[in-house]
Amino acid sequence: MKAQAYMYEYDRHGIRQLRTGWADGPAYITQCPIQTGQSYVYNYTITGQRGTLWYHAHISWLRSTVYGPIIILPKLGADYPFAKPYKQVPIVFGEWFNADTEAIINQAQKTGGGPNVSDAYTINGLPGPLYNCSAKDTFKLKVKPGKTYLLRMINAALNDELFFSIANHTLTVVDVDALYIKPFQTNIIVIAPGQTTNLLLKTKPKYPNAKFFMSARPYVTGQGTFDNSTVAGILEYKSPSNTPTKKLPIFKPYLPALNDTSFVTKFSKKLRSLANAKFPANVPRKVDKQFFFTIGLGTNPCPNNQTCQGPTNKTMFAASINNISFTMPTKALLQSHFSGQSNGVYLPNFPINPIVPFNYTGTPPNNTNVSKGTKVVVLPFNTSVEVIMQDTSILGAESHPLHLHGCNFFVVGQGFGNYNPNNDPAKFNLVDPVERNTVGVPSGGWVAIRFFADNPGVWFMHCHLEVHTSWGLKMAWVVLDGKLPNQKLLPPPADLPKC
């Protein structure tokens, strides 16, 4: 990849990068940014993965325009665990900003306020007919009757979870985050930024004499402003000869209310791994290390003699995990770890529990200030890990899509209110929990994940709402080398960018 006007690096979102963390992408985590006019070759092997993933810029808000699909087909001769589709179509959601997104986030970080929201959503880069003057810029999916299409859905939006539906059609969910699941039918899906979902669309047996909107609009739980608009593409059937199509009626789908957490919860509970001999669910049964992370917003004090636009005119918005708002280093963590020169770059003492416990989903504490630091968790190779991620009510409960680099995880439990360590583990699903790389921490609730730390390197974990990442809702895991040669991080490539 070659950088142009900005410093760049690229994340292949969901590719595990086994022993090749140098190709993972996040700026100042696994590499320094590619400087303007310089280049860097991402060299990696995809092992044991198939499905829909994606790539995007991973510095500041540049992924608003730099993104695209990664489609990994099954090995030659291998079948899908469902009937082979007639055709496969990537459908990528994005956000359109009339202003420069770098100017938007830079201004927000100076004032301490919330950033301006997008002006439109897009499907495959097109805003569609529901926005002013954009009817000609509409994504159209042209299909034949009686066929099955595989829709590879990707939410590349910066800051919004989305509901999606196709009018008068039923969808079958077969895969999330490039991992097969037990198929189930639905009229509507919800997809968070960073997530992918594969859907089977079976078209009507005969030409329907109609067109159908494919629509998406946000699922919103926070108290801040958001882009309250709807994007639409059009599903069109190939018409018989001599059949006029311009005046066909267009049907619109039903989409849930903007804050329909009940639908999101029911949808999430339907996601189950195949858990069979060919596609097993290797859930950690024994846990070596347990972590309890609070996930939420907070504040920083306004600089002296300055008026801010945060929750008050004396505070700035912030976000944290266990009240640590992550400070981005000026040297890449992975290079510092590999070279044994981590002093002054990061501290290996990220708290495994909240430093000050409180009623996480009840009345928030009076002091909402966060601490700052570049802190990581260090794990021996192949440690089995359990993480409880608890939303908080500080500045309002909100759903947070958390993404883990380098490892997939199993979502073994979730609920609302405060996590109860005495009662809730008995309800965990250790048989067929969904496996994925990005999961929504429920608004006013918690989610439990388990994974094996079987990939040596430094792995970023962060909220995939870009505004929250900018405010500090992120941390990193350092996974140490194992004893065997195939359990050790490979050396850095010669053209690794320098800070």
Side-chain angles (χ1 to χ4, degrees):
M1 294 292 180
K2 187 169 183 177
Q4 301 298 326
Y6 292 101
M7 295 188 298
Y8 269 100
E9 40 49 66
Y10 293 80
D11 170 33
R12 280 130 303 280
H13 181 112
I15 301 292
R16 290 205 56 203
Q17 301 292 356
L18 294 170
R19 302 173 61 217
T20 54
W22 313 104
D24 190 42
Y28 300 107
I29 305 298
T30 59
Q31 67 167 89
C32 299
I34 305 169
Q35 301 296 317
T36 301
Q38 301 298 308
S39 64
Y40 175 45
V41 176
Y42 289 98
N43 194 343
Y44 58 96
T45 301
I46 299 173
T47 303
Q49 292 183 275
R50 96 296 291 163
T52 305
L53 296 170
W54 61 300
Y55 69 87
H56 60 83
H58 213 308
I59 183 170
S60 191
W61 279 27
L62 293 182
R63 77 171 179 86
S64 62
T65 57
V66 182
Y67 60 83
I70 297 175
I71 296 173
I72 310 168
L73 299 175
K75 287 185 176 181
L76 289 176
D79 295 326
Y80 295 102
F82 44 83
K84 186 177 179 180
Y86 170 72
K87 192 174 180 181
Q88 304 182 31
V89 183
I91 295 181
V92 186
F93 298 116
E95 287 186 81
W96 176 272
F97 293 81
N98 289 333
D100 177 4
T101 52
E102 290 306 282
I104 288 173
I105 185 57
N106 289 339
Q107 176 69 11
Q109 290 181 319
K110 287 179 182 177
T111 65
N116 291 339
V117 302
S118 58
D119 296 283
Y121 299 105
T122 59
I123 296 177
N124 288 354
L126 301 171
L130 302 183
Y131 298 102
N132 292 333
C133 306
S134 63
K136 292 182 179 180
D137 298 315
T138 299
F139 173 71
K140 295 180 180 180
L141 176 56
K142 298 184 178 182
V143 298
K144 294 181 179 180
K147 301 292 185 181
T148 298
Y149 292 77
L150 179 62
L151 308 184
R152 297 180 175 271
M153 316 294 297
I154 300 168
N155 187 350
L158 276 187
N159 292 312
D160 292 283
E161 302 178 67
L162 295 169
F163 294 117
F164 171 77
S165 182
I166 302 177
N168 295 18
H169 287 74
T170 300
L171 306 167
T172 302
V173 186
V174 294
D175 176 307
V176 294
D177 291 356
L179 292 147
Y180 296 130
I181 64 168
K182 291 181 171 69
F184 67 92
Q185 291 188 334
T186 182
N187 295 322
I188 305 163
I189 70 164
V190 63
I191 183 167
Q195 292 182 336
T196 70
T197 303
N198 281 1
L199 307 172
L200 294 179
L201 167 67
K202 190 169 185 178
T203 58
K204 298 183 181 300
K206 296 181 180 179
Y207 181 69
N209 285 305
K211 299 179 183 180
F212 307 90
F213 271 156
M214 310 161 50
S215 301
R217 75 174 180 190
Y219 163 57
V220 181
T221 55
Q223 297 180 0
T225 56
F226 63 95
D227 180 352
N228 185 12
S229 66
T230 300
V231 63
I234 298 177
L235 181 71
E236 290 186 358
Y237 279 74
K238 184 177 181 181
S239 62
S241 57
N242 302 321
T243 301
T245 60
K246 287 188 176 180
K247 295 184 179 180
L248 290 177
I250 299 181
F251 290 94
K252 296 181 180 180
Y254 163 81
L255 289 170
L258 294 168
N259 61 349
D260 194 345
T261 296
S262 174
F263 173 86
V264 173
T265 303
K266 292 174 183 176
F267 181 86
S268 299
K269 288 183 176 180
K270 293 177 182 177
L271 301 174
R272 303 276 180 138
S273 292
L274 283 181
N276 57 26
K278 191 172 182 180
F279 302 103
N282 297 316
V283 189
R285 298 299 183 100
K286 182 179 79 66
V287 174
D288 298 323
K289 299 262 187 180
Q290 289 181 306
F291 299 87
F292 184 88
F293 288 174
T294 54
I295 309 291
L297 304 184
T299 56
N300 284 316
C302 196
N304 289 336
N305 301 318
Q306 182 176 329
T307 299
C308 289
Q309 297 175 9
T312 72
N313 62 10
K314 294 298 181 182
T315 58
M316 310 174 76
F317 280 107
S320 69
I321 301 176
N322 274 356
N323 207 47
I324 304 296
S325 188
F326 191 83
T327 302
M328 292 300 290
T330 55
K331 297 180 180 178
L333 300 186
L334 184 59
Q335 180 73 19
S336 302
H337 160 66
F338 182 82
S339 63
Q341 298 176 339
S342 62
N343 286 345
V345 180
Y346 66 82
L347 293 172
N349 61 348
F350 191 90
I352 64 173
N353 292 296
I355 299 171
V356 179
F358 61 98
N359 182 4
Y360 307 113
T361 56
T363 303
N366 293 327
N367 182 1
T368 59
N369 285 347
V370 300
S371 301
K372 296 181 181 180
T374 309
K375 299 184 178 185
V376 304
V377 172
V378 179
L379 296 170
F381 181 82
N382 214 33
T383 300
S384 58
V385 178
E386 178 181 278
V387 186
I388 310 298
M389 294 186 284
Q390 171 75 60
D391 183 35
T392 78
S393 59
I394 297 175
L395 303 185
E398 187 167 357
S399 173
H400 298 276
L402 263 289
H403 172 53
L404 175 62
H405 291 240
C407 299
N408 293 327
F409 51 76
F410 291 94
V411 183
V412 297
Q414 63 179 22
F416 290 98
N418 294 340
Y419 172 74
N420 186 321
N422 297 317
N423 299 330
D424 288 328
K427 306 170 191 172
F428 284 179
N429 174 12
L430 303 180
V431 177
D432 62 349
V434 67
E435 184 179 1
R436 59 189 323 164
N437 61 57
T438 305
V439 67
V441 179
S443 176
W446 55 270
V447 66
I449 65 171
R450 289 187 181 184
F451 64 93
F452 288 106
D454 58 359
N455 191 7
V458 179
W459 305 111
F460 203 22
M461 189 171 83
H462 59 94
C463 184
H464 227 283
L465 302 179
E466 211 62 45
V467 59
H468 293 170
T469 301
S470 300
W471 288 342
L473 211 166
K474 48 197 173 186
M475 54 85 66
W477 306 83
V478 175
V479 179
L480 302 177
D481 283 349
K483 295 179 180 179
L484 302 178
N486 65 352
Q487 298 173 344
K488 298 181 186 300
L489 176 66
L490 294 172
D495 61 343
L496 185 72
K498 295 179 174 57
C499 291

